[in-house]
């Protein structure tokens, strides 16, 4: 698998299960686009909480090719987030966000379907978040498409 294999649009299905058992779900789209220093990950979707409340949700990350099959993931503002390895079918890393610990595992074994699983533990947070990605066919986007409007 190559770093640029992520380019394009992905259907996103996320389930967030809190320690107390409440389950929240997000559905949406993620787009990986080429930028000068790697790939830009832009996600937009609809989050439905355990109580039925609905919210628009979005996030942006930068992915950089760190060489030798490694990917460096940065927050939108350029701060380091985590790293992972594309050379194995499943890869893990840990991110410390004082006072909580974020464990991530990527599963690439069923490519082009793939997933990330975050287990977050600490005094402020406790949940498990599984995100499944399914490639969308390439299509011309309308200027009214929310991802097209938000792209830079």
């Amino acid at each position: 698998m190559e770093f640029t294999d992520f380019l394009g649009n992905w259907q996103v299905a996320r389930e967030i299960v809190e320690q107390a058992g409440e389950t929240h779900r997000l559905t949406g789209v993620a787009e990986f686009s080429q930028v000068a220093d790697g790939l830009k990950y832009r996600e937009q979707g609809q989050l439905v909480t355990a109580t039925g409340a609905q919210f628009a949700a979005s996030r942006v990350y930068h992915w950089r090719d760190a060489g030798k099959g490694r990917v460096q993931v940065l927050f939108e503002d350029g701060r380091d987030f985590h790293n992972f390895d594309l050379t194995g079918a499943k890869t893990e890393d840990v991110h410390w966000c004082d006072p909580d610990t974020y464990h991530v595992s990527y599963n690439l074994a069923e490519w082009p379907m793939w997933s990330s699983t975050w287990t977050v533990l600490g005094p402020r947070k406790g949940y498990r978040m599984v995100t499944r990605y399914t490639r969308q066919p390439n299509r011309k986007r309308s200027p009214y498409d929310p991802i097209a409007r938000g792209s830079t």
Side-chain angles (χ1 to χ4, degrees), residues 61-75:
Y61 297 114
H62 294 280
W63 285 29
R64 291 193 180 144
D65 185 345
K68 297 184 181 178
R70 303 242 1 122
V71 175
Q72 177 187 27
V73 181
L74 305 169
F75 289 107

Side-chain angles (χ1 to χ4, degrees), residues 25-38:
R25 288 183 170 67
L26 177 133
T27 56
V29 139
E31 177 187 40
F32 285 89
S33 57
Q34 190 83 50
V35 293
D37 59 348

Side-chain angles (χ1 to χ4, degrees), residues 4 7 12 17-18 23 27 32-34 44 51 74 78 80 86 88 101 107 114 116-117 126 129 131 134 137 142 148:
T4 55
L7 280 168
V12 175
V17 180
E18 295 187 38
T23 300
T27 56
F32 285 89
S33 57
Q34 190 83 50
Q44 294 186 337
T51 63
L74 305 169
D80 190 43
L86 289 175
T101 304
N107 186 336
W114 58 285
S116 65
T117 300
M129 179 173 70
T131 305
T134 306
S142 158

Side-chain angles (χ1 to χ4, degrees), residues 16-19 102 118-121 125-129:
I16 306 162
V17 180
E18 295 187 38
Q19 282 180 336
Y102 292 66
W118 286 90
T119 303
V120 182
L121 299 170
K125 296 182 182 174
Y127 61 88
R128 184 168 192 260
M129 179 173 70

